[in-house]
Amino acid sequence: MVKTIQYIDNNLDTELSLEKVSELAAYSPFHFHRVFRLITGETLQNYIIRKRIEKSAFYLAVKKNIILKDIYLELGFSNHSAFNKTFKKYYGKSPSEFRKSAPEKFHKIQLKQSKNGQTDAVFQQYICNIENLLNWTTMNLKIKVTELPEMNLAAVMSLGIANVEPSFNILIDWAKEKKLFPKENVKMISVYHDSFKVTPPDKVRIHACMLLDEQLKQQEGQVFPETIEAGKFIVGSGEVTLNDFEQCWVSLFLWMNENNYSVRKAFPFEIYHTNFKEHPEGKMLVDFCIPIN
């Protein structure tokens, strides 16, 4: 299922029928449908449509230089009519209306139900003004632009923010059996495969990871290999609480925009250097890492 979900997310521009995807997972279509819905809380078709529409919403709102046709073809829609109809059903606006209504800077997109039962997309603004957020960043994070080496990880997939801690517990139990944990300077990492700008917290895909000295050769139960490729990153480092994480990410992305950097096609991640459970104030040393061009 891990490989299947990764395949779907990496191939949204292709035909993803139940028959094709279930064959990839080595299940019968009937059994696959049941297992997939149990794991994700969605049918296969609903999952694929949501991923395509969320990604298209991100492009429409954030990358306004990309033309509509390039967006819908990249995300597996055969024509403008099909894209327009599906997008409007999900966000309550046509793609063109959605793009026009998107402010230059916003925190996240929320779906709200109107009194007549219609869905509408609302662009939620930042909790405080941008200048204050940037000031908060410089006061609480030490920021640098640097090259990071390739990182070999052992990972456990989490669907929904509430499932991240249980995923780390599965990973730690696996590492204990392998005599990899506890050890000095073990680094835990969270890799974000969805953006909170467009994906609801209960649907976001996050991988709970551990940095390894050597590459994991194959999947072992729920633990699978993942690699963060070497490259250029903005790294914001600070001692923060769990409640500060959202503000750290928001302000760091704002800092990126203010300094004219652009996101590279890779996934942002956090590296934990200490454990908040061992700190009297619940603080931990964290690197927030954004891949950039």
Side-chain angles (χ1 to χ4, degrees):
M1 277 297 161
V2 169
K3 290 179 180 177
T4 303
I5 289 171
Q6 289 176 320
Y7 179 84
I8 293 169
D9 288 0
N10 292 333
N11 293 276
L12 291 172
D13 60 328
T14 65
E15 188 265 333
L16 294 166
S17 66
L18 175 60
E19 290 73 21
K20 180 177 180 178
V21 178
S22 61
E23 183 179 353
L24 182 74
Y27 286 121
S28 70
F30 175 77
H31 189 53
F32 174 84
H33 179 77
R34 292 180 61 194
V35 174
F36 187 88
R37 188 165 189 171
L38 181 66
I39 291 173
T40 65
E42 300 175 272
T43 66
L44 174 66
Q45 191 64 21
N46 285 349
Y47 180 88
I48 292 168
I49 290 172
R50 178 177 64 81
K51 298 292 287 192
R52 284 173 169 164
I53 291 300
E54 285 177 353
K55 188 168 279 192
S56 66
F58 183 85
Y59 287 156
L60 288 166
V62 177
K63 301 185 177 184
K64 297 193 176 185
N65 59 317
I66 304 177
I67 64 172
L68 284 180
K69 186 175 182 180
D70 288 345
I71 292 174
Y72 72 69
L73 289 179
E74 182 178 333
L75 294 172
F77 291 96
S78 57
N79 55 61
H80 181 272
S81 177
F83 175 52
N84 191 75
K85 182 179 179 181
T86 307
F87 191 94
K88 192 168 185 177
K89 184 177 180 181
Y90 196 86
Y91 280 112
K93 293 181 174 75
S94 71
S96 298
E97 291 170 334
F98 181 89
R99 173 168 267 178
K100 286 178 184 176
S101 67
E104 184 181 348
K105 294 175 181 176
F106 63 94
H107 183 199
K108 63 178 70 171
I109 303 166
Q110 288 186 313
L111 294 177
K112 291 193 175 180
Q113 297 290 328
S114 63
K115 291 181 179 179
N116 61 4
Q118 297 295 311
T119 300
D120 191 28
V122 177
F123 292 89
Q124 183 181 326
Q125 297 304 303
Y126 295 108
I127 50 178
C128 56
N129 70 50
I130 289 172
E131 185 179 348
N132 287 344
L133 278 168
L134 292 170
N135 289 337
W136 186 92
T137 309
T138 56
M139 290 175 61
N140 291 275
L141 295 176
K142 183 179 178 181
I143 302 173
K144 63 181 179 180
V145 176
T146 186
E147 296 283 335
L148 293 179
E150 180 180 88
M151 300 181 204
N152 294 311
L153 311 175
V156 174
M157 185 176 68
S158 165
L159 295 174
I161 193 76
N163 293 317
V164 174
E165 186 172 355
S167 294
F168 270 115
N169 291 337
I170 292 168
L171 181 62
I172 288 170
D173 288 343
W174 170 87
K176 285 178 178 177
E177 288 185 11
K178 295 284 185 179
K179 303 288 192 287
L180 298 172
F181 186 90
K183 279 187 178 180
E184 192 175 355
N185 297 323
V186 172
K187 295 290 188 293
M188 296 295 186
I189 296 174
S190 289
V191 182
Y192 292 87
H193 288 258
D194 285 317
S195 170
F196 282 96
K197 269 188 178 294
V198 292
T199 304
D202 64 329
K203 301 291 186 185
V204 69
R205 177 158 71 98
I206 303 170
H207 290 180
C209 304
M210 178 183 291
L211 184 61
L212 302 177
D213 293 330
E214 296 180 1
Q215 188 176 28
L216 185 64
K217 300 300 181 186
Q218 61 184 12
Q219 184 166 338
E220 300 179 11
Q222 294 186 62
V223 181
F224 56 92
E226 179 157 1
T227 301
I228 296 174
E229 294 183 357
K232 191 176 181 181
F233 291 84
I234 295 172
V235 180
S237 305
E239 188 175 36
V240 295
T241 68
L242 291 173
N243 291 332
D244 296 323
F245 275 39
E246 182 176 7
Q247 190 154 346
C248 287
W249 279 117
V250 168
S251 57
L252 197 61
F253 273 105
L254 282 173
W255 186 94
M256 178 193 76
N257 292 330
E258 292 291 318
N259 288 274
N260 299 315
Y261 291 104
S262 60
V263 175
R264 178 161 46 86
K265 198 170 183 179
F267 301 111
F269 58 92
E270 299 158 353
I271 305 175
Y272 313 121
H273 297 280
T274 58
N275 187 346
F276 73 94
K277 293 180 180 179
E278 298 172 357
H279 192 283
E281 297 176 28
K283 292 184 176 181
M284 59 198 302
L285 286 171
V286 185
D287 293 340
F288 300 88
C289 306
I290 301 175
I292 56 172
N293 294 305

